[in-house]
Amino acid sequence: MSNEDQVPPGSIIHIETVSAPTNIACVKYWGKASIPLNTPINSSVSVTLDQTDLRAVTTASACTAYTTDRLWLNGAEEENASTSKRFRACVDGVKRLASDRIDPTTGDVVVKKEDWDTMHVRISSYNTFPTAAGLASSAAGYAALVFALAKLFCAKETYPGELSVIARQGSGSACRSLYGGFVAWRMGGLKEDWTDSLAEQVAPETHWPEIRALILVVSDAKKDTSSTSGMSTSVATSLLLAHRAKEVVPKRMEEIEKAWLAKDFSSFAKITMADSNQFHATCLDTYPPIFYMNDVSKSVIRIVHAYNAWAGEERAAYTFDAGPNAVLYTLDNYAVEVGALMLHFYPGDAGSGYVSAGGTDFVEKVKEFTLDASLLEAASRTGREPNAGDVKMMYYTKSGPGPQVLAKEEAIIDAVTGLNTYQKA
């Protein structure tokens, strides 16, 4: 890093730092209607997860002394970021909504609306969870980028959800991460410019506070078929995908939103699992087929069904995005039992960070919990035997809010030099 990268002494650097959550879809988005605008062939809906463990942190800065736009991800600079189509869509899209930047203390205008066009930006961002492993890291990252830019440029939407329209041009599911709780991405398409393809909050995270999620990281490696590539192939070759988008998803969207608002976990669980299964069926129906789940993933599915059958009701629901990692939804009443069941069959040292629980006492309760012998017998009949190492890590979390503004101390762009300060551990 040379001194030439630094801005001249005395330059004013405007900085905002934010965090944004990941979200896990219950009705999946798979397939693009418009590749240039990054719009979907079907609507989708997701749960926004709490940011205690899983979040993207992004600092956006602007300065008249910057000579080009620059981007650092997880401490490493992205070459040619300034010409990246997705990056440009977000930066330019938010900048078009810019307004005057006002000093909150004095009320003075520190940047006039028209002056933003004279400034380049420098962005630094990092994730606190595995990138590109099927945990919606791009959703959190692009949501954080758009939200940080919106705060930096003092952006003002011209219609509700406009920022989510910009975010989905970076990563489709990013639009849903701009809101907390239960969030729908309306596919749109009635407007020629697709500005009706946007996110809408169905209910805030406070509506159903008992919802819990247990994430099993089966693999933290980058997947061998990216979502973008997989979608393109599926749209071109899968007849099941076309049927799903037209005939199945609209009804499921209506039913699952109704279930969430009614706090009907049984209906929510059944729809979530059925949609996950159908999503992966479309991947298998793709030619050549795409395999995101592995044998460990499938064993989790069997154990969840065995658990629900043993309980005589749906107490847990699995869902898998484009990767092998399992997300299990449950209620707080059963979270410890579900956690103990998973830890039994996918063992690790619960006291060594194998289970990250966001500062709660979940780990202690799981370790103390005694599983019913008949439940263990029922789950064992699936053929699964406890084996350490099949799951790399577990996260215990809940539904949470949308993006948050962070304190100046959490900035990862130096306010004097304009350079990245984040170093990956």
Side-chain angles (χ1 to χ4, degrees), residues 186-239:
R186 309 300 181 190
M187 65 176 286
L190 296 179
K191 293 185 177 181
E192 189 174 342
D193 62 359
W194 287 91
T195 53
D196 55 346
S197 181
L198 47 71
E200 179 180 74
Q201 187 181 61
V202 176
E205 67 277 8
T206 54
H207 173 74
W208 201 357
E210 296 84 7
I211 285 286
R212 297 292 183 268
L214 184 65
I215 301 172
L216 278 62
V217 180
V218 174
S219 171
D220 56 4
K222 189 171 183 177
K223 56 200 176 193
D224 57 7
T225 303
S226 71
S227 295
T228 299
S229 172
M231 285 184 202
S232 178
T233 309
S234 292
V235 168
T237 64
S238 174
L239 296 178

Side-chain angles (χ1 to χ4, degrees), residues 225 229-230 232-234 236-238 282-291:
T225 303
S229 172
S232 178
T233 309
S234 292
T237 64
S238 174
T282 63
C283 291
L284 189 60
D285 188 52
T286 299
Y287 191 86
I290 304 168
F291 305 99

Side-chain angles (χ1 to χ4, degrees), residues 16-52:
E16 292 287 348
T17 301
V18 308
S19 66
T22 187
N23 69 79
I24 303 296
C26 302
V27 173
K28 308 294 188 185
Y29 141 62
W30 194 250
K32 300 180 191 297
S34 168
I35 293 176
L37 295 175
N38 211 28
T39 56
I41 63 171
N42 64 267
S43 296
S44 57
V45 69
S46 62
V47 178
T48 298
L49 299 184
D50 184 76
Q51 296 179 49
T52 302

